[in-house]
Amino acid sequence: MSTNDIYEMDSMTETEEMDADVELDMVEEEAVYLEEFLPTYHSIKEGAQVAKAQLVEFNDKPDSLFFNDGVRRIDFILVYEDEDKKDFEKRHTFQRRKRRREYFEASLMKMGMELEATRSVIDEKLMFVKIHMPWDVLCTYAEVLHIKVPILPNDLSSRPFAWGFLSFLTKFCNPNEERITKEAEFFTAPFEKDRLEYFYVKDKDIFFTPSMRSRMAYYILSRAPYEIRGSIKKFGITKLLDSGVYKAAYPLHDCRFNVKSKEEGCPNERYLLYEEWAHPKSFYKMQPLDLIRKYYGEKIGIYFAWLGFYTIMLALAAVVGLGCFIYGYKTQETSTWSKEVCDPEIGGQIVMCPQCDRECKYWRLNSTCEASKKLCIFDNFGTLVFAVFMSIWVTLFLEFWKRYQAELEYQWDTVEFLEQEEPARPEYEAKCKYERKNPVTGVKEKVPYTSCGRCVRVSIGISTVLFWILLILASIVAIIVYRLAAFFAFSAKLRAQNLKELEPLKEYVTPQMATAVTASLISFVVIMILNILYERVAILITDFELPRTKTDYENSLTLKMFLFQFVNYYSSCFYIAFAKGKAVGYPGQPVYLLGKYRNEECDPGGCLIELTTQLSIIMGGKAIWNNIQEVLLPWLKNLISRYCTRVDPEQAIPRWEQDYRLQAISKLGLFYEYLEMVIQFGFVTLFVASFPLAPVLALVNNLFEIRVDAWKITTQFRRIMPEKAQDIGAWQPILQGVAILAVATNAMIIAFTSDMIPRLVYYWSFSVYPYQDQGTHTMQGYINTSLSVFDIKDFSNDSRPLSIPDNITTCRYRDFRYPPGHPREYEFSVYYWHVIAAKMAFIIVVEHIVYLTKFVLSYMIPDVPYAVKEQIKREKYLTQVILHETNLKLVTKRLKPTKDETVRDSEVIEVKDELELSLDF
């Protein structure tokens, strides 16, 4: 034997000894554990052996949705990697995983679920555990989850709801009715196992839909224990997925998206959704919302219903916005004040003061000719009309959405969803160790924290959110400093040094435009980076707060994310609209930021064009980035996965393994989809006065968004876990808050950002100024009036330009101040105060008119259509009569006179009256 062999044996022995020590510690720990829980452990361990024994071979039916017996339906799939096939991991690691997995699967069987395991046909290390819920288990958990099922066919005559009058316009865009047939309507009631005979049960195998079965299965998986140590009980599939015990857990698609299933009785709903909804050729068709809801659950259905409704309403706003844009485009050449800017005899003769210290040069006003023409497209009287229209539009959108949502709530049986007791999250239940008395029921219950502890958690969460918001504001200040420095640099390069060279080097490039574009791009990059960082922080904070239910969790996370996104996306726009150019002083006495950087000024035509540039870059960049992130990346991942796991085309791959190769849906589900649309809604409403094309861009984006999201979840992702939802949740009050804020922001943009009010004041008060002709309203001379005069001798030493062209004694700047030599030189003129008064009056009048109109519309449009109210009352009545009729019969039978005893008729009548009185509502 060689020395190398001896050395290798010694090394192996040492490793084995280390593993043996670890194993000994585990055995000792297990012994203590088994002493306390030995009976429970043995019973569950036996179940685990049974589960393991049910390892079967694939039956060569790629689209099968059943166990190998062809009878029991697969309700859920668990996937894990067989550690026995891996020789590189330490034994104690995979043995602990194996023990937890066996305990968990045995717990599932003890709770009534049936399991069957099979090995992957592609990768022998992968194991798939198929889960089936028997009828008794389904009935039990349907009652626990208050699942509503049919009791009687709907006998009320079908009435058109809010959008029924549009059916004749949309009939050509409806999905193919031969493929997607309309299902019969039923009155429904929460399932009760003891009153099964009163429910509309034709076939037990299809009484509970696959989405209902998957929802009940996931409820059990989230609460099944996998380890008990002392008083600590560990449970839930979520933690097992996070710790690597299982690699995936998901419900099955019913078929391939582009090929019909050959299995008998398969509804092929995924194939129908792809052909009639997600396929590009169906872009013009209305969404099959009932089928979406049936296949993916109410939560997915309500999202696509809201997105479709929002898109339809955007069409109206887009038409008006496009008309406003065309009006501005057609009138840009006829604008008097724009002509004066471009006129060589007017704008070409006006020398403007430098807009930064020392290095900046004097420049001609007509150098902004092209910018002034572009400004006319967005800054005109049509914009004012459009801003008022959008304030009314957003009210109509929200009110009609409430009505449409009420219809969906009734049709999808979610009217009383929030009134029912929503189960606590497994993460919440796992931390419950304190007792308190429930203020409603008076019963003692377990909670994870005391009242003081909850306050501490919420306070820490609020403090963290505020810190990140301040971080965003700090980044905005940094971008402002960049803008000041960049404008200084661009001005030094793009402005000439003498009178002959006062024209710009390029026709369309000005220091203002170059600064605006580069700053907007940098702002967009900063926004994206902060989003990625804060996303993780918000999730950690919400997890730390430990909300009780999933609805509470999502609402808390929604509020945190929206507050952050609101500041992140809109702060730069608010700066340009309401801060830039508002406190700049005048050339002889400028205002400095941080005592060093001179505040930047607006273009002589105002900051509106820069706000438009900012909005277009952020909206366009955000749409492109989201599509790359949401569509391209999953598609590439699936493509790479298929390439890496190439198999024989003739080899049959089972349905569960095909789904495993797809991408897993995010834990937050639709959260980012809603967030993306609500941020877009803010751009469309908050700043629409500066960018009438925003609804057009949003409409085009949403037309793609609907189909892209449909294609994505139908073809690239595993089947989403069906969830119940009554409405769009916390997003509804957020939309209402944005709508209220939009009225104020648009009024202030028109008043303070655009140049509309000064032009109106000039147009109607021209007789104040002696150089105007009497009796004629005109805009001629406006440019000269809106620019104040400054004597270049009054420059301070710190701001005086290094080079002074010949024959220039004065320059002009954008303000309303008295000229040099006036007794109140460089102070605000009377015209300035007229303009300020007009701006304030405009804001007050417009806000009051619009808010009054919004209030009247909200009052006149009921949230729930009358037809829906009738349907709800009818269903409640039938539920009371049918489900409580049993009690009436039982009591009557119990009180019926027998041979040995007699009961007075009055007692029977009294009991009947009491029960019948309980049916009254």
Side-chain angles (χ1 to χ4, degrees):
M1 181 181 295
S2 67
T3 308
N4 291 336
D5 292 338
I6 297 173
Y7 179 78
E8 183 177 357
M9 290 181 61
D10 290 340
S11 299
M12 292 176 61
T13 304
E14 183 179 357
T15 303
E16 291 176 355
E17 288 177 356
M18 292 175 62
D19 288 342
D21 292 339
V22 174
E23 190 70 28
L24 181 60
D25 293 338
M26 293 175 59
V27 170
E28 292 175 353
E29 183 182 6
E30 190 74 16
V32 175
Y33 167 60
L34 292 178
E35 285 180 5
E36 187 173 357
F37 298 100
L38 192 60
T40 305
Y41 179 82
H42 279 308
S43 62
I44 294 181
K45 189 68 176 178
E46 290 175 2
Q49 296 299 330
V50 174
K52 186 176 180 181
Q54 291 182 337
L55 178 61
V56 297
E57 295 298 328
F58 173 49
N59 59 7
D60 293 332
K61 293 183 178 180
D63 291 325
S64 175
L65 302 175
F66 296 87
F67 278 22
N68 273 35
D69 57 16
V71 177
R72 292 174 292 176
R73 175 180 292 273
I74 300 173
D75 296 316
F76 224 85
I77 291 290
L78 300 178
V79 186
Y80 68 90
E81 199 167 6
D82 190 359
E83 287 86 356
D84 293 336
K85 301 291 183 180
K86 298 170 68 175
D87 53 3
F88 56 85
E89 274 193 310
K90 292 185 178 180
R91 282 181 297 170
H92 68 275
T93 302
F94 67 73
Q95 284 188 2
R96 174 166 291 188
R97 288 180 181 176
K98 183 178 180 181
R99 186 170 65 253
R100 287 182 171 182
R101 184 166 54 249
E102 289 180 348
Y103 193 102
F104 181 74
E105 292 174 5
S107 300
L108 295 178
M109 297 183 68
K110 190 175 182 181
M111 297 170 77
M113 304 179 86
E114 297 177 2
L115 277 60
E116 183 179 83
T118 185
R119 197 175 298 279
S120 169
V121 299
I122 298 176
D123 185 356
E124 64 175 7
K125 291 183 292 186
L126 283 180
M127 298 292 297
F128 293 88
V129 180
K130 295 173 279 187
I131 298 176
H132 169 75
M133 298 183 67
W135 171 254
D136 291 340
V137 178
L138 288 172
C139 291
T140 300
Y141 285 95
E143 189 170 356
V144 170
L145 295 177
H146 304 282
I147 290 179
K148 299 184 91 173
V149 291
I151 51 175
L152 274 181
N154 190 335
D155 60 350
L156 289 182
S157 58
S158 179
R159 293 188 180 183
F161 289 141
W163 297 98
F165 67 93
L166 293 178
S167 59
F168 71 98
L169 295 176
T170 60
K171 63 180 180 180
F172 300 105
C173 300
N174 289 333
N176 190 335
E177 294 182 358
E178 295 180 358
R179 285 184 166 184
I180 303 178
T181 57
K182 187 176 181 180
E183 297 186 2
E185 295 185 4
F186 290 90
F187 292 115
T188 60
F191 183 80
E192 294 185 35
K193 186 165 57 174
D194 297 334
R195 296 170 180 172
L196 184 62
E197 65 274 13
Y198 292 98
F199 291 96
Y200 197 79
V201 183
K202 277 191 172 182
D203 187 350
K204 290 184 178 181
D205 292 335
I206 61 174
F207 180 66
F208 295 109
T209 64
S211 61
M212 292 178 183
R213 299 172 69 107
S214 298
R215 184 174 159 222
M216 289 185 274
Y218 188 76
Y219 180 85
I220 298 175
L221 290 170
S222 299
R223 286 156 178 80
Y226 61 84
E227 191 173 56
I228 301 177
R229 294 191 178 278
S231 60
I232 300 176
K233 182 180 180 181
K234 299 181 179 181
F235 57 87
I237 187 64
T238 304
K239 291 189 176 181
L240 292 178
L241 290 170
D242 293 339
S243 61
V245 176
Y246 287 101
K247 296 180 70 66
Y250 51 89
L252 286 180
H253 283 296
D254 62 355
C255 65
R256 286 172 283 179
F257 70 87
N258 55 353
V259 179
K260 275 190 174 182
S261 173
K262 297 180 181 179
E263 291 293 317
E264 184 179 355
C266 180
N268 287 292
E269 291 174 347
R270 186 189 186 195
Y271 172 78
L272 293 177
L273 284 172
Y274 176 73
E275 289 292 320
E276 297 294 321
W277 180 45
H279 198 285
K281 70 179 181 182
S282 302
F283 73 95
Y284 65 93
K285 293 185 178 181
M286 302 294 288
Q287 300 185 89
L289 293 176
D290 289 333
L291 184 58
I292 297 170
R293 170 251 180 173
K294 181 182 177 183
Y295 192 74
Y296 289 115
E298 287 77 10
K299 196 166 189 177
I300 298 292
I302 200 73
Y303 164 73
F304 281 103
W306 176 81
L307 182 56
F309 185 84
Y310 172 45
T311 304
I312 291 174
M313 291 293 291
L314 269 178
L316 176 62
V319 170
V320 180
L322 186 60
C324 177
F325 174 80
I326 293 174
Y327 170 79
Y329 184 81
K330 293 291 186 181
T331 58
Q332 64 174 329
E333 299 295 338
T334 61
S335 173
T336 303
W337 66 271
S338 179
K339 286 181 178 180
E340 290 185 349
V341 171
C342 298
D343 191 344
E345 299 300 324
I346 301 177
Q349 299 300 319
I350 296 178
V351 179
M352 301 296 294
C353 298
Q355 291 185 311
C356 65
D357 296 335
R358 307 294 289 172
E359 295 293 337
C360 289
K361 313 298 188 299
Y362 296 92
W363 52 286
R364 299 285 187 185
L365 179 61
N366 65 348
S367 66
T368 61
C369 175
E370 291 301 323
S372 66
K373 289 181 180 180
K374 299 297 183 293
L375 183 62
C376 291
I377 299 176
F378 303 102
D379 192 5
N380 54 67
F381 296 115
T383 304
L384 171 59
V385 176
F386 184 58
V388 175
F389 166 80
M390 286 300 295
S391 300
I392 306 300
W393 173 88
V394 73
T395 303
L396 294 175
F397 164 65
L398 293 175
E399 292 302 317
F400 282 123
W401 164 247
K402 290 178 184 177
R403 290 173 62 84
Y404 185 46
Q405 185 173 252
E407 297 172 14
L408 294 177
E409 285 177 14
Y410 170 73
Q411 293 173 359
W412 294 353
D413 297 324
T414 60
V415 174
E416 298 178 351
F417 172 65
L418 294 181
E419 297 177 6
Q420 302 167 354
E421 180 65 22
E422 185 179 1
R425 295 189 309 129
E427 294 83 357
Y428 178 91
E429 294 177 341
K431 299 285 181 70
C432 290
K433 55 183 179 179
Y434 300 101
E435 281 192 354
R436 70 153 191 173
K437 186 177 181 180
N438 190 305
V440 178
T441 63
V443 179
K444 287 187 177 181
E445 61 181 6
K446 291 276 189 178
V447 294
Y449 39 62
T450 61
S451 299
C452 181
R454 185 177 185 278
C455 291
V456 171
R457 290 172 180 265
V458 173
S459 299
I460 293 175
I462 293 174
S463 302
T464 308
V465 173
L466 290 176
F467 168 78
W468 277 86
I469 289 177
L470 291 176
L471 184 62
I472 297 173
L473 297 179
S475 69
I476 296 301
V477 172
I479 293 175
I480 293 173
V481 172
Y482 163 79
R483 297 171 69 96
L484 301 177
F487 178 77
F488 178 86
F490 286 128
S491 296
K493 291 182 179 180
L494 298 179
R495 300 299 185 197
Q497 295 186 359
N498 51 52
L499 273 173
K500 185 178 180 179
E501 297 174 342
L502 284 177
E503 301 296 334
L505 297 177
K506 294 183 180 178
E507 184 179 5
Y508 298 98
V509 179
T510 62
Q512 291 91 345
M513 183 58 66
T515 303
V517 172
T518 56
S520 298
L521 292 173
I522 293 174
S523 178
F524 173 74
V525 172
V526 172
I527 286 171
M528 292 296 105
I529 293 174
L530 289 177
N531 277 345
I532 295 172
L533 296 176
Y534 181 76
E535 172 189 327
R536 300 179 181 180
V537 174
I539 294 174
L540 289 174
I541 296 171
T542 310
D543 289 340
F544 177 74
E545 289 179 358
L546 208 61
R548 183 177 181 274
T549 64
K550 187 169 184 178
T551 300
D552 294 338
Y553 181 90
E554 291 178 351
N555 290 345
S556 177
L557 182 61
T558 296
L559 183 60
K560 291 181 181 65
M561 286 296 293
F562 179 75
L563 286 175
F564 176 84
Q565 299 274 20
F566 184 90
V567 179
N568 198 17
Y569 277 107
Y570 302 144
S571 54
S572 59
C573 297
F574 275 104
Y575 164 74
I576 295 173
F578 307 123
K580 182 182 177 182
K582 303 301 183 292
V584 296
Y586 60 95
Q589 200 171 29
V591 176
Y592 292 90
L593 178 67
L594 304 177
K596 178 180 180 181
Y597 298 100
R598 179 173 168 175
N599 279 3
E600 59 179 335
E601 303 175 20
C602 291
D603 187 89
C607 286
L608 194 69
I609 190 66
E610 186 172 342
L611 179 58
T612 303
T613 303
Q614 179 85 358
L615 285 171
S616 59
I617 289 178
I618 292 180
M619 284 189 69
K622 185 174 180 294
I624 294 172
W625 173 257
N626 286 334
N627 285 328
I628 292 174
Q629 194 174 25
E630 296 176 6
V631 179
L632 187 59
L633 291 181
W635 179 77
L636 287 175
K637 288 179 180 178
N638 287 333
L639 187 65
I640 295 171
S641 175
R642 287 193 296 268
Y643 179 80
C644 295
T645 57
R646 286 177 294 181
V647 295
D648 187 351
E650 298 182 357
Q651 187 176 9
I653 302 176
R655 170 84 268 132
W656 48 85
E657 191 156 358
Q658 293 178 46
D659 285 4
Y660 177 70
R661 303 300 170 184
L662 299 176
Q663 293 298 306
I665 197 70
S666 168
K667 289 183 179 180
L668 297 178
L670 292 173
F671 175 80
Y672 295 108
E673 306 296 339
Y674 273 117
L675 184 61
E676 176 187 353
M677 289 295 103
V678 172
I679 294 298
Q680 181 204 87
F681 180 81
F683 283 123
V684 169
T685 54
L686 291 174
F687 307 101
V688 74
S690 65
F691 193 31
L693 285 180
V696 179
L697 296 181
L699 175 63
V700 173
N701 176 78
N702 288 7
L703 290 174
F704 282 100
E705 184 76 19
I706 292 175
R707 304 302 166 177
V708 165
D709 284 349
W711 176 85
K712 177 179 61 177
I713 68 171
T714 306
T715 67
Q716 303 300 308
F717 284 88
R718 298 169 190 158
R719 188 170 182 174
I720 298 174
M721 181 64 226
E723 293 184 60
K724 205 83 169 173
Q726 185 181 32
D727 48 36
I728 60 175
W731 299 111
Q732 183 78 25
I734 287 175
L735 292 174
Q736 292 173 341
V738 171
I740 294 172
L741 182 61
V743 178
T745 56
N746 283 298
M748 294 176 67
I749 286 173
I750 293 173
F752 293 108
T753 310
S754 79
D755 211 27
M756 189 177 300
I757 301 301
R759 292 201 298 266
L760 287 173
V761 172
Y762 176 81
Y763 184 80
W764 291 107
S765 61
F766 65 93
S767 59
V768 175
Y769 305 100
Y771 49 80
Q772 288 291 337
D773 296 331
Q774 300 299 319
T776 304
H777 293 287
T778 178
M779 287 300 295
Q780 292 181 2
Y782 169 73
I783 290 297
N784 187 61
T785 304
S786 64
L787 299 175
S788 299
V789 181
F790 181 76
D791 192 337
I792 63 175
K793 293 185 298 183
D794 296 331
F795 272 117
S796 64
N797 293 330
D798 294 332
S799 60
R800 189 183 305 278
L802 296 177
S803 60
I804 302 176
D806 298 332
N807 302 324
I808 291 182
T809 58
T810 60
C811 61
R812 310 296 291 273
Y813 61 99
R814 178 185 168 85
D815 212 337
F816 302 108
R817 295 177 183 268
Y818 290 114
H822 192 278
R824 300 172 60 188
E825 66 176 3
Y826 302 135
E827 293 183 11
F828 289 120
S829 63
V830 175
Y831 186 54
Y832 170 83
W833 298 111
H834 286 175
V835 170
I836 291 296
K839 289 181 176 181
M840 299 306 298
F842 172 82
I843 292 174
I844 293 172
V845 171
V846 169
E847 282 189 351
H848 280 70
I849 292 175
V850 173
Y851 281 133
L852 178 62
T853 306
K854 289 167 68 71
F855 173 77
V856 172
L857 289 174
S858 300
Y859 179 79
M860 292 177 60
I861 303 174
D863 291 347
V864 182
Y866 180 75
V868 176
K869 290 181 179 179
E870 284 187 337
Q871 298 268 22
I872 294 174
K873 288 181 180 179
R874 173 67 174 165
E875 185 172 291
K876 284 185 176 180
Y877 173 77
L878 289 176
T879 302
Q880 294 285 336
V881 170
I882 293 173
L883 297 184
H884 292 280
E885 190 179 30
T886 306
N887 289 344
L888 184 61
K889 290 180 178 179
L890 289 175
V891 173
T892 304
K893 184 178 181 180
R894 180 171 57 86
L895 297 179
K896 187 176 180 180
T898 61
K899 295 180 180 180
D900 300 331
E901 59 179 358
T902 58
V903 180
R904 290 177 301 174
D905 292 341
S906 59
E907 293 182 0
V908 177
I909 294 173
E910 183 179 355
V911 173
K912 288 184 177 180
D913 289 341
E914 290 179 359
L915 288 171
E916 291 173 354
L917 184 63
S918 68
L919 300 180
D920 187 16
F921 56 89

